Amino acid sequence: MATQQHPALPLSLPVAVIGAGPVGLAAAASLLERGIEPLVLEAGPQAGTAVREWGHVRLFSTWDEVIAPAAEKLLAPGGWERPDGRTYPSGADWAERYLQPLADALGERVRYGVRVTGVSRAGRDRVVDAGREEQPFVLRLTAKDGTEGQILARAVVDASGTWSSPGPLGGDGLPALGERAASDRITYRIPDLNDPAVRARYAGRRTAVVGSGASAFTVLAALAALAEDEPGTHAAWVLRRGIGSDTFGGGEADQLPARGALGLRAKAAVEAGHATATTGFRTQAIERDEDGRLALVADDGRRLEPVDEIIALTGLRPDLTFLDELRLGLDARLQAPAAVAPLIDPNVHSCGTVYPHGAKELAHPEPHVYLLGMKSYGRAPTFLAMTGYEQARSVAAALAGDHEAAARVELVLAETGVCGGSGLYDEPDGGSDGGSDGGSDGEGCCAAPGPQAVNVTGYGG
């Protein structure tokens, strides 16, 4: 990506930050630290709206690893009480004890209830070259009541994440035939089985769990615990690939110990017959029986035994539709910035082995546009909050003209433990019962659902 100088836009214009999640708020704090005025645009009613939706999930990362340095500097003068850095927050903890106080410290620089529906250069669509770089960005906004408006900005930082765009069930990347019609029986999230209504949905029923990542392991473990109390609770685990030596992660050799332990529990559940695994199954259609139960049909014609519910954990995707008038340089496979894609290739890297990167790698052919946080990873799952905070620091330096600082790497990731601490530990503050690649579930890495204890035994297969 080019690093040449570009015409400066009026300094009186703010830098628009899309999303008041962990990385968006960190970007705002980093910009403010540089003397640049941010304007954070959040579609939800409060900070961390997406994080709150998985509030029952506990992170693998400790508090020390999910607080941005620039944010802490902004919070400290106001008497903010820093959580114990050695413990592991849930999503709800992260939102209430860090994200909302940070947004409050930013004050009127954060606007809630406004959704960005389009971004372009003022008076220029993506085709026009003449005078393009001298024009400010225009962001079209829609309020909750449908009122439309727009703002101008000198730069755009999109940290809106990928939470709102879960992958479909279809093995070809498209929704399976009948998937939309069966939406009343499908969820794309880790269910909160502490919620009585949610618990009742799965108790004593057969559930298809589609996916092969840590999120799927988490659900298998949680349903196993439910089966101990509610006989008849069963799971059918559906994998698009076969079961091999790497299916359950690195086990005891996993650089993220908690993730490895979770994989071992999932493996034990399968080997003991508590979970029934179907491999090499690429869903093509969902058919509803007369009694309302759902049957998954593969592209090779196989038809699974009907289930009552489906939990689809097939990844998340970036929503790029509102950026369509900008000139983005994205990798064709991952939909991540082209220079970032080889650094985060999920076939090679886990969240602990991604080399820290910054403004240079995140740049696009459209100057002064950056995708940060989970959005910058496109379809790759293993994202660390710490990596996002380094992105935010570097981009803020670049927008301030401090290119030396922007190019400098100020984050060192340990080879082990950077996400260590899932809920498989027994300590009350150590975590919870399972684990998932929290990068897929929000703006952190390696999350695990809530406080109940889980033993993968007594699982009806």
Side-chain angles (χ1 to χ4, degrees):
M1 291 297 172
T3 58
Q4 69 268 23
Q5 299 292 325
H6 297 285
L9 294 171
L11 297 179
S12 59
L13 293 177
V15 171
V17 178
I18 306 173
V23 176
L25 293 174
S30 297
L31 289 165
L32 202 56
E33 187 177 35
R34 287 281 182 173
I36 300 173
E37 197 64 22
L39 177 60
V40 182
L41 304 168
E42 168 58 46
Q46 54 195 331
T49 298
V51 173
R52 294 173 192 273
E53 290 189 20
W54 51 268
H56 60 290
V57 174
R58 192 173 298 277
L59 300 173
F60 283 148
S61 301
T62 66
W63 273 111
D64 277 342
E65 295 156 351
V66 297
I67 296 173
E72 186 165 7
K73 291 177 184 177
L74 184 62
L75 285 165
W80 174 66
E81 184 176 344
R82 194 184 198 281
D84 183 346
R86 299 166 297 177
T87 59
Y88 303 93
S90 66
D93 294 333
W94 203 13
E96 289 297 332
R97 301 180 63 186
Y98 168 65
L99 299 178
Q100 194 60 57
L102 178 54
D104 293 343
L106 289 164
E108 294 184 356
R109 298 180 180 92
V110 181
R111 291 178 57 184
Y112 300 107
V114 287
R115 182 175 299 278
V116 177
T117 56
V119 184
S120 187
R121 292 278 187 172
R124 306 288 189 275
D125 64 24
R126 68 185 297 168
V127 176
V128 178
D129 290 331
R132 183 177 191 84
E133 294 175 7
E134 290 83 4
Q135 298 302 312
F137 294 94
V138 57
L139 288 84
R140 290 288 172 86
L141 311 176
T142 301
K144 188 175 181 180
D145 63 2
T147 303
E148 293 184 309
Q150 66 181 38
I151 64 164
L152 299 179
R154 55 181 286 204
V156 176
V157 173
D158 182 0
S160 59
T162 56
W163 178 253
S164 63
S165 304
L169 278 168
D172 50 15
L174 301 174
L177 297 173
E179 182 170 347
R180 293 188 177 92
S183 61
D184 60 319
R185 297 288 187 93
I186 303 173
T187 183
Y188 300 86
R189 315 297 188 198
I190 297 174
D192 181 4
L193 297 183
N194 285 325
D195 182 322
V198 176
R199 188 178 181 87
R201 178 173 177 175
Y202 300 99
R205 298 187 177 188
R206 181 176 174 85
T207 299
V209 179
V210 185
S212 59
S215 294
F217 298 166
T218 298
V219 172
L220 292 173
L223 289 175
L226 181 60
E228 293 183 347
D229 298 328
E230 299 288 347
T233 302
H234 302 281
W237 185 23
V238 181
L239 301 89
R240 292 175 179 170
R241 60 183 183 181
I243 293 181
S245 60
D246 62 345
T247 297
F248 300 97
E252 294 179 359
D254 200 313
Q255 290 186 342
L256 308 179
R259 183 178 63 187
L262 174 63
L264 290 174
R265 289 201 174 187
K267 182 178 181 181
V270 173
E271 290 178 344
H274 303 312
T276 303
T278 300
T279 61
F281 192 97
R282 296 185 173 273
T283 305
Q284 184 178 75
I286 301 174
E287 297 177 352
R288 191 185 292 264
D289 288 351
E290 291 182 1
D291 61 0
R293 304 182 82 205
L294 305 175
L296 276 65
V297 181
D299 56 5
D300 61 6
R302 282 182 292 166
R303 188 178 191 272
L304 298 185
E305 180 182 342
V307 296
D308 300 288
E309 300 285 343
I310 299 173
I311 300 175
L313 300 167
T314 52
L316 300 168
R317 301 174 174 186
D319 178 6
L320 301 167
T321 56
F322 62 90
L323 304 176
D324 195 48
E325 291 303 321
L326 299 178
R327 298 174 177 181
L328 302 181
L330 299 175
D331 177 74
R333 182 164 57 101
L334 294 182
Q335 295 180 297
V340 173
L343 304 177
I344 63 173
D345 183 346
N347 295 301
V348 178
H349 296 286
S350 73
C351 57
T353 63
V354 173
Y355 185 78
H357 49 274
K360 179 180 178 181
E361 293 82 5
L362 293 162
H364 291 277
E366 191 82 68
H368 304 144
V369 172
Y370 298 95
L371 311 184
L372 300 190
M374 227 13 251
K375 190 77 170 271
S376 73
Y377 271 39
R379 298 192 182 198
T382 49
F383 179 75
L384 270 177
M386 295 170 69
T387 301
Y389 298 160
E390 173 68 0
Q391 292 177 341
R393 181 205 62 78
S394 176
V395 166
L399 291 174
D402 188 346
H403 301 291
E404 180 182 354
R408 188 167 58 241
V409 174
E410 296 188 3
L411 172 64
V412 178
L413 294 176
E415 290 186 3
T416 60
V418 289
C419 303
S422 91
L424 293 177
Y425 301 150
D426 293 330
E427 293 81 3
D429 293 327
S432 55
D433 70 332
S436 76
D437 53 2
S440 297
D441 298 326
E443 293 281 5
C445 177
C446 309
Q452 69 268 26
V454 165
N455 298 305
V456 189
T457 57
Y459 190 77

